[in-house]
Amino acid sequence: MSTSQTLGGATRCGRIIGPSLDKIIKNAAWRKHTYLVSSCKSVLDKLESLPDDFHDPSSVVSGLAASDADSVLQPFLLSLDTAYSKVVEPSLDCAFKLFSLSILRGEIQSSKQDSILFKLVNAVSKVGAIAEEPIQLAVLRVLLAAVRSPGVLIRGDCLLHVVKTCYNIYLGGLSGKTQICAKSVLAQMMLVIFTRSEEDSLDVSVKTIYVNELLTFTDKSVNEGSSVYFCQGFVNEVMAAGQGSPFPPPDVIEILLQNPETETVMTPDSPSFRGYVTNGEGDSETGDMSKMRQDAFLLFKNLCKLSMRFSSKENNDDQIMVRGKTLSLELLKVIIDNGGSVWRSNDSFINAVKQYLCLSLLKNSAVSIMSIFQLQCAIFMSLLSKLRSVLKAEIGIFFPMIVLRVLENVLQPSYLQKMTVLNLLDKMSQDPQLIVDIFVNYDCDVDSSNILERIVNGLLKTALGPPTGSSTTLSPAQDSTFRNDSVKCLVNIAKAMGNWMDQQLKVSETVWPKGSQVYASMDSNAGQIGELEGTISDCDSQPDTTNPEAYDASMLEQRRAYKIELQKGISLFNRKPSKGIEFLINSKKIGNSPEEVASFLMKTAGLNGTVIGDYLGEREELALKVMHAYVDSFNFAKKDFVEAIRFFLRGFRLPGEAQKIDRIMEKFAEHYWKCNPGSFTSADTAYVLAYSVIMLNTDAHNNMVKDKMTKADFIRNNRGIDDGKDLPEEYLGSLYDRVVKEEIKMNSDTLAPQSKQVNGLNKLLGLDGILNLVSWMQPDEKPHGASGRLIRDIQEQFQAKPEKSESVYHTITDISILRFILEVSWGPMLAAFSVTLDQSDDRLATSLCLQGFRYAVHVTAVMGMQTQRDAFVTSMAKFTNLHCAADMKQKNVDAVKAIITIAIEDGNHLHGSWEHILTCLSRIEHLQLLGEVSPSETRYIPPKKAEVDEKKALGFPNLKKRGSFQNPSVMAVVRGGSYDSTSLVKSVPKLVTPEQIKSFIANLNLLDQIGNFELNHVYANSQRLNSEAIVSFVKALCKVSMSELQSPTDPRVFSLTKLVETAHYNMNRIRLVWSRIWNVLSDFFVSVGLSENLSVAIFVMDSLRQLSMKFLEREELANYHFQHEFLRPFAIVMQKSSSAEIRELIVRCVSQMVLSRVSNVKSGWKNVFTVFTTAAVDERKNIVLLAFETMEKIVRDHFHCITETEITVYADCIRCLITFTNSKFEGDIGFNTIEFLRFCASKLAEGGLVLNEKIKNNTISALKEDSSDTHSFTDLDEQVSYWVPLLAGLSKQASDPRPAIRKCSIEVFFNILMDHGHLFTRPFWTGIFSSIILPVFNNIRSKTDMLFEESVDSPSSASLENEEPTWDSETSTLALQLLVDLLVNFFSSVRSQLPGVLSILIGFIKSPFQGSTGSGISVLLRLADGLAGNVSEDEWTEIFLALKEAASLTFAGFMKVLRTMDDIEDFETVSGQSVNKDDLDDDSLHIMSYVVSRTKKHIDVLSQIVEVVSDLYRKNQFSLPASHVDILADIFSCIASHAQQLNTDTVLRRKFKRACSVLNLTEPQLLNFENESNKSYMTFLQDMVTCNPNVSKELDLESRLVSECAKVVKIYLKCTDHQQQQKHKRQVLWILPMESDRVEEATARTSLLVSSLEALCSLEAESLKRHVSSFFPLLVDLVRTEHCSPQVPYVLSNVLKSCIGPILA
């Protein structure tokens, strides 16, 4: 083992100290350093004897006793005191090792100057003055190691002294290497000290400083070669030297960290230097802080004071001072950059920043040194990032002073200074939360400047550059750099807003449940999004909960609105003060009292001082009161007169008008004298003196005044003003001196003219409209100049205690805040991006602008700000220059790419902006198509891919060779148009030039950068859009497609094709969304399908077919109607289109779709049948036949598919088939259709039905469409409900005007009922009878009602001849027979329908058809026969009552007809005399002919009724109940009475005879009708008396019979004129023969008389005996009467013999 390894003994410290002492001994000068050498040797000897395991916590050397520690370290003190480099170096090296390895430990402070460690550190610091680089570097190593050592705590002035040593080495370093090392060591010390203070611990992990970062602002010139690498290694070595060494024991640490002791103030000879502050000054500020924090606080405060040192007036250019100031600012920057939460939570540190650092920044703002300004900006940026939550007021002051005053200087800026500010803003803009916080805390604070608004406006000014015609100091390169950097800042601000918004939305998604509509409530405060209790996140993203106050967007909106309105009032005041005050009072921004207005004028920032002075000097009542209140608000007590004036005038400038000045100063003097009554004799003195002082101030400080007032002049001018006495000359002289020395003026200069740059902005690029959209902005504020006066004013603000409202720092996480930020910034952004993009061709600048557009669109779109979003998108679309392709450049192609990117990334929020984007894509395709195909091929159908590839290979110049540019449409594209033009095609009067063609072809080549993939990607990406966005996308695409198709000369189908593709992409969306999409597409397809352009319409319908085929691949669940909505365009176009080709195409398309997807068709059947129904009545036969063929296939092969759906679908099918029967084209279509209906009935009868619950509900509504009476269908059975549409359809065909169709329909209708009626329930029978079957016979009843029921006043030929088509007799008879058969066959189920059937039969009997009466009777008999054994008594009653009603209606109707002849003249004619036809007019003849015809029909009807009734009672005469007999008797009686009434009307008979004679007609057989009626009545009574004696007796029918016989005899006697002879009571000498007409009548009545006499004979004897008295006189008269027939006397004799004789006997 070598000697050096054994020196120092066994202790740990000895192994380090021993070799160093040995080296000192060897290097020392023996004669000069004898004491040093002996001391070293004694220590070496001592170390040999010390044990290695001794522990003494109080010892400063680990492993040694406290008593031995001082002696061991004493040689090092001696060696350092020698200042001999050869012995100093080993000592420094040993000290470095001892500190690095934590062997030395203890607290080092000035209060313990006897401590060996204090002496050691002090000695090391002293040798730092040795002008040798190795020594200085070694000193730096030792000091840094001492500061870094976890066992050593250097405190107070000792710490300051250590820093001073490094500071001095930096300032006096012999080389750049040494200086950089010194700066690096200082910076590393700051990290160590302040990291320990953060953690409040000695054992902390400290990062190593990066030397390169320290050279950012200064010392670049001293960097010599590899100095940086050396220094970095130097620091790394020192920091790594102690790693791995044991940490001091806990008891040692406890001693170090015990409660701090107050240090004494350093003595003058203590190690300190100018500018440092001792620890004793900070006792009140540090309070109860720990030792480490006290030291950090002291060091920070002293660094701030060092940074505020200024050169003396004698040595204004002190480079050492500047370097020292710069170094201190750099160290402060390091401290703030690496500061932690303690700076935001510890009041002492916060106050230190406010009082010292902010003051340093303030004072250094007056220094015109670039490095200092850069450091100011860097420190300010760190304060913004880390401490903005506790420096709200200070930042609000620094922003205008440091940033805005430079930013807003456009004409004469310092290049480096402004670049520094732009770099600062660039860093700011990369912190999204910082941007938001600035706006919330300043732009929304009434008492703060609109910082963010001024930033964006300042950036806009810089981006636009100096106004045209103005002079500037900038070179073109500098101006370009400014423009690009300002645009970059605006881009980053837009990006920051978007990033912040996206981050907040992600947070809100974790807070709110999925599916919540994040964007739905952006426009209202009620539904704010994800509003979290905010925490201010500074640079390290740590929450700061000391001051921040989170509040919601509604509160922010109120504050912002209040501020904006207040600023409006301020602006108005600065222009028209009275109007401004009125506005502010009315808007309740200030009170209406003079005191409140005065307070507003005094305290409100932004008011123009000159305007305030003018307002205060006004004579108006309110202004005068305000001026008095303003003056009275000052407290001039104990203030000097000049100071009082200066204090009074600091808030405004006196007006120029003497009278106004007089009023103001008069009030000032009065108030001053009131506050200081002993100052002058009266207020007049104060007034005159005040006025004189103002005059002196103007005279002394106005450059226009050449002959200045002297002191003697001033004194002379003020003689005798104190109530006739003179004021003391000394006093006036003092006033004069002070006024001349310091001008009386306002605190700040707010009178500078405002920049005019923005006023000319509207002229650029036509941006008037864009800038008009920007919300009201306050006028530009004058940037503060860094003058001494300004610094003093701001320093006063720092010292003033801020109000609570100003000190509260707000934060917000509600993204609604972005709406207000965007309202401020979107206008400047849009203007900057637009102007730059238009004026610059620099790729970097245009790329930045396009990025800005993208970010702006993103944030405005997500926030739902439609106007702003559309403005950005529209501007981008215009900058694509696609509307003027000949002028296109690379930047325009980049704009196209940017638009495509926006469409893909922000498609969910574009909404109305989609139209602009899709228009651009359409124009791109148009331009590309011009280069690929000839113009004639660009119109309707896209070319085949092979053709496109071939023409691409030829290149765009091939267009020129083919002469395509001679095409007008292509020429218009080459020439270009406006962006807003709906079509690029315009007629132009002249050809394009070769240069335009060449440019156009070159620009088409530029578009090759945008391939089909990019275009198609936008449309393919539509399937990723949300439900709202896809609807907006489709709407916009429809609009663009419509504009393409409506082009008169160049229609295209690009967007239409993409529309179909988009529909394909999105067809798998949920039904609700797809339904909304299809509502838009449906209207579009209908509109285009009805286009006059046939080719376009055909293409659209074919596209619709493709979509429908794909859509029908999906099955539809029951009770949905999506297919119905999807196929609706086919039906609408089919109904409205005037083109036969389109209608035929629709029929073919629908046929193909249905037949190929028939199993999937559900609700779509309705529109399918609507199409075929429309086709059934088409004018083109081929369309009708094509539709019918499809219907045939559907019905025959897929009938079950129809019945599987709703009943309404089945009803539509039947309606469609019925419509085919009405086709005007002759052929088998109608009959085949009816047979299909029979086929449908057969299918229904098979029972193969698949029903659902909705059928029941829909049945009623379905029947309402087909029948007018649906009340009886409320309880329909599900299975039979399908029969209703079928039967209702056939029933309608029963009224078809074509006899064959009508007859066939009736037969099929009743055959279906007969064949399948057994499936029907009784309620269903009831329903179809009342609603379907019985209405079929309305033809019969309507005809009968017309003839017998309506009131006929004057029948005309029109009413008789031009009647609507009704059934003929044959059809009616057939229908009635089928009806009766149906009733008889299903009588048990339809018994209740008997009255209705009877009504129809009676109506038919009454009808005027030839033979209808007989047919009706036969049918009625058929009904009676069929129901003979099944009809109940009540039902018979109904039958008989129906007959009675028919007869009664016949009487009433006929009597109305007879009354039409009342106006015809009646006169008798002699027998054989001819009647002259000329005696009657045409109307009379027509009426008589009509009445005669009606009379004959009437007689026939009544006769048939009599016959029917006779037949009915004969079949059941033995069993008829009394009620039936009574009804029948009434029928016979009323008919007989009616016949007698007609026959006995002689006037009527004469008119009939006359009419028939004139018209050559046969007369109505009234007499025969009367005879037959009476005979039928007598026969009925006789039969009832004979066959049904009980009923006869009950109803006393014998009396009726006798009365009827007596009536007949009387009529006969009247006919033979017997009664006339008796009446005149003349003696009959002979009997004259009867007249011929009487003979005829008597002959006609003979049979009736005989029947009546025989009826009397048939009565029993008792009956005859009862009634003989009533008819015997009539028999006697018969004996005396002349008879025309021998039968009468014969029968009469029999009556007398057989009836009367026995009675008399």
Side-chain angles (χ1 to χ4, degrees), residues 1418-1434:
S1418 64
V1419 172
L1420 187 57
L1421 290 175
R1422 188 171 181 170
L1423 174 65
D1425 289 339
L1427 301 178
N1430 299 322
V1431 180
S1432 64
E1433 181 177 340
D1434 292 338

Side-chain angles (χ1 to χ4, degrees), residues 262 354 400 606 630 656 1010 1023 1074 1145 1148 1189 1445 1515 1667:
T262 303
K354 291 182 178 180
Y630 185 90
I1010 303 170
Q1023 57 191 324
W1074 174 247
L1145 175 62
R1148 293 187 182 277
E1189 291 175 2
E1445 182 184 3
K1515 293 181 179 180
H1667 301 288

Side-chain angles (χ1 to χ4, degrees), residues 11-176:
T11 61
R12 182 167 173 257
C13 65
R15 290 194 294 271
I16 297 173
I17 295 175
S20 297
L21 292 177
D22 183 62
K23 191 173 183 179
I24 291 173
I25 293 172
K26 292 178 180 179
N27 293 340
W30 288 93
R31 293 182 181 179
K32 189 175 181 180
H33 304 134
T34 304
Y35 181 73
L36 171 62
V37 172
S38 61
S39 178
C40 291
K41 291 180 178 180
S42 64
V43 170
L44 284 174
D45 295 338
K46 188 174 184 177
L47 289 174
E48 295 290 341
S49 62
L50 293 177
D52 62 348
D53 57 351
F54 186 82
H55 175 65
D56 184 0
S58 62
S59 175
V60 297
V61 180
S62 175
L64 300 181
S67 57
D68 297 329
D70 290 352
S71 60
V72 169
L73 295 178
Q74 189 65 33
F76 296 103
L77 296 179
L78 296 175
S79 65
L80 293 173
D81 287 338
T82 64
Y84 181 52
S85 60
K86 289 185 177 182
V87 297
V88 169
E89 286 184 6
S91 300
L92 292 175
D93 183 63
C94 182
F96 168 70
K97 293 178 180 179
L98 292 175
F99 281 120
S100 297
L101 299 176
S102 300
I103 294 175
L104 297 181
R105 59 195 186 187
E107 182 176 347
I108 306 174
Q109 57 180 336
S110 58
S111 62
K112 299 178 180 180
Q113 295 186 13
D114 295 336
S115 168
I116 189 65
L117 290 182
F118 177 83
K119 294 178 180 179
L120 179 62
V121 171
N122 194 29
V124 171
S125 299
K126 283 184 179 180
V127 299
I130 299 175
E132 295 182 16
E133 183 175 310
I135 299 298
Q136 291 179 340
L137 294 177
V139 170
L140 293 174
R141 290 177 67 207
V142 174
L143 295 180
L144 178 57
V147 173
R148 175 67 182 87
S149 176
V152 177
L153 182 61
I154 305 176
R155 301 205 57 228
D157 286 340
C158 188
L159 177 62
L160 296 180
H161 189 61
V162 169
V163 173
K164 172 204 169 180
T165 302
C166 300
Y167 194 95
N168 289 336
I169 292 174
Y170 169 78
L171 295 178
L174 299 178
S175 65

